Amino acid sequence: MVALGDVVVRATGIEKYFGEHHVLRGIDLEVRKHETVMLVGRSGSGKTTMLRCLNFLEEPTVGAVEIDGVRVEADPLHARSRRHQEQIRQIRLRAGMLFQDFNLFPHMTVLQNCIEAPTRVRRIPKDQAVATAERFLDKVGLTEKRDEHPARLSGGQKQRVAIARALCMEPQVLMFDEPTSALDPELVGEVLKTMEELAHEGSTMIVVTHEMSFAREAADRVIFMDDGLIVEEGPPEQVLDAPREERTQQFLRRFLRDASA
Amino acid sequence: MSLMVAARPPILEEIDRARRSTGRRHRLTFAATWVVIMLLIGAAIYATGNRDTDWIASFGPFILGGAGITVVVSVLSIMLAVVLALLGALGRLSSNSVINGLASFYVSLVRGTPLLVQIYFIYFSLPALGIILPAIEAGVLALGFNYGAYMTEIFRAGIQAVPRGQREAAEALGMPEGLVQRRIVLPQATRIVIPAIGNDFIAMIKDSALVSLIGVQELFWRAGTTGRPARNTLEAFIIAALVYWALTIVFSFFQERLEKRMARGDR
């Protein structure tokens, strides 16, 4: 494991309402360089919304996010203003996002998926972007698929391409939103293995997941959320094996029962 | 997997053979039905004594020549319509209330007035405002404007049919709005709307007959101008109808091929 560095992601006082529904009720989160943080909790606990608030795919109702020195305050009244959108874009350039259903661009090949944003957003020369893309495709083990369209790939391969695509933007932090939930069981392993390698190499990662054994293996810190709040956080052996809070214990008991059923 | 290739049971061969012969019989009866209907119609016309082969020989080629103008007018109009529809759809989806209002006004006005009125207005009324357009230009403008408004809704539906995750993934990569639209959303929306555009193009070929009323010398104009004075309207309009029909069949064929080609990349 790589020693942790300075704080890269800092979210303060994040609250989110969907209509009248208070989904996030005041969350503070700090993630340090090289750290792997996993958000766990039952569905509806707000963990996915929290992750999406970090890069403003959901505009928080209240609070602020700072990633790698760029700080953006929630501004729901002027969410569409040019200035606010540009600030958000600066945050997004520093945070790579992985989705449950991959969201590869179906009209582009694997390679084109990987070089689209680097060449058009970062304006990196094409040959250089291709070289970077090939390096990361090699890393996720999909060099031979570079000229295929996403439709020709398995779910696991798609998610690994999505990881390569995110890495090509050289983000400060990678954010995963249940990256294996849409996969057939036999394909989950290859994605988790790739993520574990990234964690061990010192990538900074925030992962929303239901894979408890993966969290135990790869997390530096596990955060248990319930009802829009952080209930308990700490190293995995503490939160997952010796939880102090009643609600965490309940969640894990039910989780183990469902897993063994 | 077993290395031995199991012998194909004979029943499968029989099913295949039966299926092939049913298919053949079906296609044959289908074609025969068409031929019989056409022969009946032909015989009925023949029996009424309306057959002026000399007239057909001397004016037929002139009428056929109008098909070229029909196609040119239709192609130019559909191109104008696609551009207007794209702008219209982006306008209808824009959060800018002026742009949104403009696009909605366009769609409402055009859909709320008859195409024939629009054609007449552009050709006969605009000159009162000092805008004088030759017939073909006026016709193309009217058809393009009209179809553009209907296709605005098609494009809008196409854009909205692109999964939300596509936009989110592009935004998460830091792409600004213009790039998201141009590189990610519109290419996918285009694939979705191509069948509908093809349909509209075929409808446009037929609606283009209306521009004969402002003197564009296309297929229908030529049939009318030659057929009516000589009282050969039956021959004239049958020729025109058959040519429209043939044109739509040809373009339907291309449309199907195009759709198949586009679908191939996806799967």
Side-chain angles (χ1 to χ4, degrees), chain A residues 17-256:
Chain A
Y17 284 85
F18 284 124
E20 299 300 309
H21 189 37
H22 204 176
V23 186
L24 297 177
R25 304 195 294 153
I27 300 234
D28 297 308
L29 173 68
E30 282 189 357
V31 179
R32 297 167 66 188
K33 198 163 183 56
H34 308 307
E35 191 178 20
T36 298
V37 173
M38 306 237 184
L39 296 176
V40 303
R42 78 182 94 181
S43 21
S45 60
K47 54 196 193 308
T48 286
T49 305
M50 181 58 209
L51 194 73
R52 288 167 60 87
C53 278
L54 290 178
N55 70 350
F56 285 75
L57 283 182
E58 303 290 352
E59 176 90 23
T61 313
V62 185
V65 177
E66 183 180 330
I67 297 184
D68 191 33
V70 177
R71 184 183 146 91
V72 182
E73 289 196 32
D75 191 2
L77 290 181
H78 309 95
R80 303 288 314 167
S81 84
R82 190 157 296 180
R83 205 181 78 89
H84 189 60
Q85 286 295 318
E86 180 53 30
Q87 282 184 319
I88 289 173
R89 214 171 65 79
Q90 289 305 320
I91 285 239
R92 288 172 177 164
L93 285 173
R94 290 160 172 78
M97 179 94 173
L98 281 304
F99 299 87
Q100 191 174 332
D101 37 15
F102 333 121
N103 294 338
L104 293 179
F105 306 133
H107 56 302
M108 299 181 182
T109 65
V110 164
L111 185 71
Q112 286 165 344
N113 263 276
C114 292
I115 65 171
E116 178 68 15
T119 53
R120 290 182 192 269
V121 180
R122 288 220 189 277
R123 303 204 173 281
I124 292 168
K126 190 170 172 208
D127 48 348
Q128 203 180 319
V130 169
T132 308
E134 280 172 341
R135 185 157 55 86
F136 285 124
L137 284 174
D138 182 50
K139 187 182 180 62
V140 300
L142 290 171
T143 307
E144 78 280 12
K145 300 288 184 193
R146 52 166 269 173
D147 296 319
E148 296 279 9
H149 278 83
R152 303 286 301 270
L153 306 180
S154 72
Q157 291 171 334
K158 283 183 197 170
Q159 194 60 291
R160 281 147 64 204
V161 170
I163 292 173
R165 178 174 74 177
L167 289 172
C168 283
M169 289 297 275
E170 320 224 312
Q172 296 299 311
V173 53
L174 284 172
M175 314 201 301
F176 295 79
D177 182 13
E178 301 193 25
T180 59
S181 296
L183 296 177
D184 291 336
E186 76 270 22
L187 302 176
V188 169
E190 58 187 79
V191 172
L192 295 185
K193 185 168 151 278
T194 305
M195 291 171 64
E196 230 173 299
E197 281 167 16
L198 289 171
H200 282 295
E201 287 162 17
S203 299
T204 311
M205 311 207 300
I206 307 174
V207 184
V208 171
T209 188
H210 291 290
E211 302 281 343
M212 292 306 149
S213 52
F214 172 62
R216 195 174 278 115
E217 293 285 312
D220 295 306
R221 179 156 52 110
V222 172
I223 295 178
F224 172 70
M225 282 182 64
D226 192 35
D227 203 16
L229 287 169
I230 291 179
V231 174
E232 182 165 1
E233 63 180 305
E237 53 277 14
Q238 178 206 311
V239 176
L240 298 179
D241 296 332
R244 279 191 292 250
E245 298 292 330
E246 172 61 24
R247 276 191 285 180
T248 319
Q249 292 164 8
Q250 246 175 27
F251 167 75
L252 289 168
R253 261 204 307 279
R254 190 162 47 182
F255 191 85
L256 285 175

Side-chain angles (χ1 to χ4, degrees), chain B residues 62-63 65-77 116 119-120 122-124 133-143 204-205 207-226 228 244:
Chain B
F62 175 71
I63 299 178
I69 297 177
T70 291
V71 170
V72 168
V73 166
S74 303
V75 168
L76 290 176
S77 304
L116 191 55
I119 292 172
Y120 271 40
I122 289 178
Y123 188 66
F124 293 118
L133 291 171
I136 290 191
E137 281 85 337
V140 167
L141 205 61
L143 284 170
M204 168 98 72
I205 290 176
D207 273 352
S208 71
L210 288 171
V211 302
S212 65
L213 294 172
I214 55 173
V216 177
Q217 304 189 359
E218 44 69 80
L219 188 52
F220 183 65
W221 184 91
R222 292 185 180 204
T225 331
T226 55
R228 265 181 309 210
Y244 280 115

Side-chain angles (χ1 to χ4, degrees), chain B residues 3-128:
Chain B
L3 284 176
M4 276 220 311
V5 179
R8 201 158 181 267
I11 183 68
L12 290 185
E13 287 298 337
E14 275 179 57
I15 290 174
D16 276 358
R17 212 173 309 125
R19 195 171 284 157
R20 270 198 302 273
S21 89
T22 321
R24 223 176 4 244
R25 211 164 39 232
H26 176 79
R27 278 193 299 276
L28 222 64
T29 352
F30 184 91
T33 313
W34 279 50
V35 170
V36 167
I37 294 174
M38 295 215 261
L39 283 177
L40 281 176
I41 295 175
I45 293 169
Y46 194 81
T48 60
N50 277 293
R51 49 181 188 284
D52 189 342
T53 42
D54 289 346
W55 186 88
I56 294 178
S58 47
F59 290 103
F62 175 71
I63 299 178
L64 283 179
I69 297 177
T70 291
V71 170
V72 168
V73 166
S74 303
V75 168
L76 290 176
S77 304
I78 202 81
M79 283 175 7
L80 176 62
V82 165
V83 173
L84 288 173
L86 180 58
L87 294 175
L90 291 177
R92 293 271 280 180
L93 293 170
S94 167
S95 53
N96 180 316
S97 38
V98 174
I99 296 176
N100 197 317
L102 202 68
S104 304
F105 180 83
Y106 162 59
V107 172
S108 171
L109 176 69
V110 170
R111 293 214 299 188
T113 51
L115 173 54
L116 191 55
V117 173
Q118 293 162 12
I119 292 172
Y120 271 40
F121 181 83
I122 289 178
Y123 188 66
F124 293 118
S125 309
L126 283 188

